[in-house]
Amino acid sequence: MAAPPVIISDHEVAQLLHYKDLIPRLEEALGKFSRRDTAEVIQPVRTTLPLRKHNGFMGLMPTYMEIDGILSTKLLCFYKREDGSNLPSTQATVVLMDPEYGNVKAVIDGKVITSMRTAAASAISAKLLMRPEAEILAILGTGKEALSHYNVFTEIFSFKEVRVWSRTRENAERFCKSVSGPVTLCVSVEEAVRGADAIVTVTRCTEPVLFGQWVKPGAHVAAVGACRPNWRELDDVLMKGAVVYADSREGALAESGDVILSGVEVFAEIGDVVNGTKPAYRDKTTVFKSLGMGIEDAVSAKLVLDKWNANQASRR
């Protein structure tokens, strides 16, 4: 008889999950995904159901990694909230199952996993595509994803300046107080991104907020928001003037308004760069369109469960 599933809270996840452990595992997983070997990874494009009454969506993100013995799905609800809303913009739960028996092994709160694996994927894109001499980071947005991106980008890179912009000064000031290092508050997007070497967009915008005329040639943009085919963060000038990479080509062509509405070609998946099958154009303006993938949640959840089990064993 199978043991009852382990329940792991976001608070516990935050104590167990660290970027130094997560990033190499995610980088390896992204490479496996882009090889399209079904013995390594089976991951369909996210299934999405509209929640019209609540101006939101429910997403289902299953993944099976046969060789690694990982069977997982994430249940995700995300919403287009009005400015000033106190309701959460995302909620998530990751379920790990035994691929042989089919029982649930663990149910893990997914908010911390989602924010950390998303930021880690952006950091991997920057490691591969950003110019090594990068000095200025700009973050557009001040929510949980903005904080996780600040944390990982300042942990693994040495920026001389980090700028942040938010639609409201109140949110920007709250963000500045929540981070552990220096940050410059900017009153406009243009002020934040002019001359920046790396730009992270983690907004709730559905219309372009970042315009190509403001972006320094050779800058790297990690575009994380706008996860619906009619939502955008980046304008046509930026998209058409950049080399565009994605976490999943199929995902970008199905879900990314920045890609679909601009009509640009996805040059490569970031996993192709990891595998060495496509080049990293560090000398050109690059965009990494991140939509988030089930494999990222699966690998992160497996790491959390392994650490949780190790902690339990050490207490016996």
Side-chain angles (χ1 to χ4, degrees):
M1 185 175 178
V6 170
I7 309 296
I8 304 178
S9 69
D10 271 323
H11 175 72
E12 291 172 295
V13 173
Q15 294 177 318
L16 295 168
L17 199 56
H18 304 285
Y19 288 118
K20 64 181 176 61
D21 304 316
L22 179 60
I23 286 175
R25 285 168 174 78
L26 275 188
E27 192 166 337
E28 180 184 13
L30 291 166
K32 287 180 178 180
F33 172 77
S34 292
R35 286 198 286 269
R36 296 301 191 278
D37 182 347
T38 55
E40 286 196 308
V41 179
I42 298 175
Q43 180 201 274
V45 173
R46 173 168 41 211
T47 298
T48 306
L49 303 177
L51 308 174
R52 292 188 181 91
K53 179 180 178 180
H54 306 289
N55 208 12
F57 301 86
M58 174 185 173
L60 182 66
M61 303 170 66
T63 300
Y64 177 40
M65 303 176 71
E66 184 172 288
I67 295 172
D68 295 308
I70 301 175
L71 179 62
S72 167
T73 192
K74 183 165 80 173
L75 305 168
L76 169 72
C77 288
F78 57 99
Y79 304 86
K80 182 184 175 186
R81 303 295 193 194
E82 298 296 328
D83 286 342
S85 172
N86 292 321
L87 295 174
S89 58
T90 60
Q91 294 275 23
T93 302
V94 184
V95 178
L96 279 174
M97 302 176 71
D98 186 305
E100 182 177 7
Y101 290 89
N103 61 293
V104 175
K105 296 198 297 182
V107 178
I108 307 174
D109 278 346
K111 291 196 287 289
V112 172
I113 282 179
T114 299
S115 64
M116 288 187 67
R117 61 80 154 150
T118 305
S122 295
I124 291 167
S125 80
K127 186 181 85 166
L128 297 172
L129 301 174
M130 184 177 71
R131 289 181 173 178
E133 67 275 14
E135 295 184 345
I136 300 173
L137 169 67
I139 300 175
L140 307 183
T142 52
K144 288 184 173 61
E145 290 286 1
L147 180 58
S148 62
H149 277 77
Y150 178 94
N151 289 339
V152 71
F153 272 68
T154 55
E155 181 177 319
I156 70 173
F157 303 113
S158 300
F159 292 104
K160 293 185 177 177
E161 183 183 7
V162 180
R163 305 170 183 167
V164 66
W165 169 86
S166 176
R167 284 192 180 278
T168 68
R169 186 170 185 87
E170 178 186 1
N171 287 344
E173 289 175 346
R174 184 171 62 247
F175 177 86
C176 292
K177 291 176 183 176
S178 71
V179 301
S180 57
V183 61
T184 302
L185 193 159
C186 297
V187 297
S188 70
V189 173
E190 182 177 1
E191 180 188 354
V193 304
R194 284 280 189 188
D197 302 291
I199 302 168
V200 173
T201 60
V202 279
T203 74
R204 292 188 288 179
C205 297
T206 56
E207 299 292 336
V209 67
L210 178 61
F211 294 87
Q213 67 191 63
W214 301 335
V215 177
K216 174 182 177 179
H220 174 61
V221 180
V224 177
C227 59
R228 296 298 298 152
N230 59 335
W231 295 0
R232 297 192 66 173
E233 288 184 306
L234 319 182
D235 78 337
D236 280 358
V237 173
L238 175 53
M239 292 298 294
K240 292 180 178 180
V243 182
V244 178
Y245 299 79
D247 47 10
S248 162
R249 188 184 301 273
E250 294 89 349
L253 294 176
E255 294 186 310
S256 170
D258 286 318
V259 172
I260 295 166
L261 298 177
S262 66
V264 301
E265 176 189 353
V266 175
F267 170 72
E269 292 175 345
I270 201 68
D272 294 323
V273 182
V274 172
N275 293 336
T277 56
K278 286 290 182 74
Y281 285 115
R282 289 178 180 267
D283 58 329
K284 297 182 179 181
T285 304
T286 52
V287 168
F288 169 59
K289 182 56 209 174
S290 172
L291 287 154
M293 299 196 297
I295 192 172
E296 297 169 353
D297 302 306
V299 169
S300 303
K302 176 65 161 52
L303 179 57
V304 168
L305 181 59
D306 287 347
K307 291 200 167 193
W308 190 91
N309 285 332
N311 283 355
Q312 295 302 304
S314 68
R315 292 171 185 168
R316 293 192 187 113

